[in-house]
């Protein structure tokens, strides 16, 4: 550990449950199975919301599982030693989560038929959500101000590195039939249709009442009260006493936090770094 991060191949990672040795080992040795379903995202993109939705798809809308097992055990993070331990012993189709950049990811996934869902969110909201999360968490370097975190984010000096590189890396997978891109914004705008799109990709069909139960149990209000999903189990250990994963649950909150100058700088860098990628990948732009 150094300076509030664990470093691997020039990328900063969180300091808890993650080591360079582990990252190196899973990259070479972790075996993805064709039936696995992988959620990949840059942190604070709505990852846990998507996990909740996937769990409820697999339980056919029955909330018993999401109400009784911590979210990080239902769809473990492969880069975490604890998550990896669960995955190693799990039989049958697995839900797996990761924030690892594409070029450092376990190699076996690229040869498997495992289904991958890449979740993307307006990076301005990712930045703001990240700032408010890292100041209440003990997982990685704690920023002293939003101004400071803004600089770190643009330099890629935050957990899992540069958002721009992360997105560019994983976007190289687009067009593959086992790779689906979902945005936080489309989930917010029309959750029902987006869940149906995910179900089609997974080859799953939910009855109308199962879908209604899924929508209710993965809503912001219900997840906020669910101790198995809202991270309050980590209070006093990895999170501050009042810490929670569930903050605003909206898109566009960055407008309440960026200065005009920051918004302009961000726009410019976004245009430069994302040049050449199709506009429709970024529905918020
Ligand atoms: P905000 O901080 O902007 O509110 P991740 O799971 O990748 O860490 O992302 C966390 C973000 O997703 C937080 O964003 C959180 O509030 C939001 N989120 C979690 N569950 C949600 C839900 N059911 N509906 C909408 N947003 C949700």
């Amino acid at each position: 550990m150094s300076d509030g991060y664990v470093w691997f191949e020039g990328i900063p990672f969180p300091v808890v449950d993650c080591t360079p040795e582990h990252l190196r080992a899973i990259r070479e040795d972790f075996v993805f199975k064709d039936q696995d379903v992988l959620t990949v995202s840059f942190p604070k993109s709505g990852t846990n919301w998507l996990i909740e939705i996937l769990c409820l798809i697999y339980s056919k809308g029955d909330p018993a599982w999401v109400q009784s097992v911590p979210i990080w055990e239902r769809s473990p993070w492969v880069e975490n030693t604890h998550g990896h331990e669960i995955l190693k012993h799990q039989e049958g189709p697995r839900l797996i989560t990761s924030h690892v950049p594409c070029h450092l990811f376990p190699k076996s996934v690229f040869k498997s038929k495992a289904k991958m869902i890449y979740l993307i969110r307006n990076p301005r909201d990712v930045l703001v959500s990240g700032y408010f999360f890292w100041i209440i968490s003990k997982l990685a370097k704690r920023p002293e101000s939003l101004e400071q975190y803004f600089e770190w984010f643009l330099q890629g000096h935050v957990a899992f590195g540069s958002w721009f590189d992360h997105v560019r890396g994983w976007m190289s997978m687009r067009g593959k039939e086992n790779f689906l891109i979902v945005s936080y914004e489309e989930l917010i705008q029309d959750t029902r249709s987006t869940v149906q799109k995910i179900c089609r990709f997974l080859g799953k069909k939910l009855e109308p009442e199962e879908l209604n139960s899924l929508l209710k149990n993965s809503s912001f209000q219900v997840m906020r009260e669910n101790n198995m999903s809202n991270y309050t189990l980590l209070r006093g250990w990895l999170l501050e006493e009042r810490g929670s994963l569930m903050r605003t649950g909206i898109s566009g909150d960055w407008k309440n936090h960026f200065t005009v100058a920051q918004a302009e700088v961000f726009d410019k860098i976004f245009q430069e770094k994302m040049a050449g990628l199709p506009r429709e990948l970024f529905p918020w732009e």
Side-chain angles (χ1 to χ4, degrees):
M1 190 207 309
S2 67
D3 74 355
Y5 295 114
V6 158
W7 289 83
F8 178 59
E9 301 276 339
I11 307 274
F13 286 83
V15 289
V16 176
D17 237 6
C18 191
T19 63
E21 295 72 34
H22 176 66
L23 291 165
R24 196 169 298 117
I26 57 163
R27 192 175 172 204
E28 298 302 328
D29 302 333
F30 185 78
V31 179
F32 270 88
K33 304 177 195 167
D34 290 346
Q35 312 90 317
D36 291 337
V37 175
L38 170 68
T39 297
V40 194
S41 64
F42 194 84
K44 312 320 291 175
S45 300
T47 323
N48 289 273
W49 186 13
L50 180 56
I51 297 173
E52 201 82 336
I53 289 171
L54 291 173
C55 291
L56 287 159
I57 291 175
Y58 277 79
S59 71
K60 292 199 153 287
D62 181 346
W65 191 30
V66 302
Q67 288 170 352
S68 59
V69 179
I71 192 159
W72 49 83
E73 293 185 4
R74 285 182 261 127
S75 181
W77 264 260
V78 66
E79 58 267 33
N80 292 355
T81 44
H82 175 66
H84 179 245
E85 208 48 44
I86 298 172
L87 290 169
K88 259 186 356 198
H89 300 110
Q90 203 172 326
E91 300 291 336
R94 301 175 295 185
L95 297 180
I96 303 177
T97 310
S98 184
H99 291 316
V100 173
C102 191
H103 70 288
L104 298 179
F105 204 76
K107 292 175 179 167
S108 68
V109 82
F110 304 108
K111 292 191 207 110
S112 79
K113 295 196 179 91
K115 294 208 158 87
M116 299 176 232
I117 306 179
Y118 189 78
L119 180 65
I120 189 168
R121 184 183 190 187
N122 185 336
R124 300 163 184 86
D125 284 329
V126 168
L127 189 161
V128 169
S129 179
Y131 168 71
F132 284 106
F133 184 72
W134 300 120
I135 58 171
I136 53 144
S137 111
K138 298 175 186 161
L139 290 159
K141 190 168 179 177
R142 206 177 275 221
E144 278 160 22
S145 64
L146 181 60
E147 211 175 10
Q148 184 185 50
Y149 190 72
F150 184 90
E151 293 304 323
W152 292 358
F153 190 90
L154 292 183
Q155 290 158 10
H157 204 104
V158 296
F160 299 93
S162 156
W163 180 91
F164 305 96
D165 293 348
H166 202 280
V167 169
R168 260 197 185 279
W170 279 104
M171 286 303 152
S172 65
M173 297 288 291
R174 72 188 195 281
K176 300 221 180 324
E177 65 175 27
N178 60 338
F179 187 77
L180 179 74
I181 300 167
V182 172
S183 70
Y184 182 87
E185 288 71 21
E186 67 181 319
L187 269 173
I188 287 278
Q189 206 177 353
D190 190 345
T191 318
R192 182 180 291 270
S193 304
T194 312
V195 170
Q196 286 167 330
K197 166 174 130 173
I198 296 169
C199 284
R200 280 194 299 278
F201 173 68
L202 297 175
K204 297 276 175 197
K205 177 140 179 41
L206 295 181
E207 296 304 327
E209 65 279 11
E210 295 169 346
L211 179 55
N212 286 340
S213 172
L214 177 154
L215 293 172
K216 177 172 152 227
N217 287 292
S218 60
S219 67
F220 185 82
Q221 290 71 17
V222 172
M223 274 186 75
R224 190 174 51 191
E225 302 306 319
N226 181 357
N227 291 344
M228 295 295 146
S229 309
N230 61 15
Y231 278 37
T232 54
L233 292 177
L234 302 179
R235 281 180 180 170
W237 173 39
L238 296 178
L239 287 195
E240 299 287 336
E241 277 308 333
R242 292 164 58 81
S244 165
L245 174 83
M246 313 299 292
R247 196 180 59 93
T248 64
I250 58 167
S251 52
D253 187 41
W254 66 272
K255 293 178 193 150
N256 300 318
H257 297 280
F258 278 22
T259 62
V260 173
Q262 283 173 330
E264 284 173 8
V265 168
F266 202 103
D267 279 354
K268 190 164 170 292
I269 291 182
F270 184 91
Q271 300 307 334
E272 279 167 22
K273 298 232 184 213
M274 297 289 102
L277 285 171
R279 201 61 182 200
E280 55 270 22
L281 292 177
F282 312 121
W284 59 84
E285 283 298 305

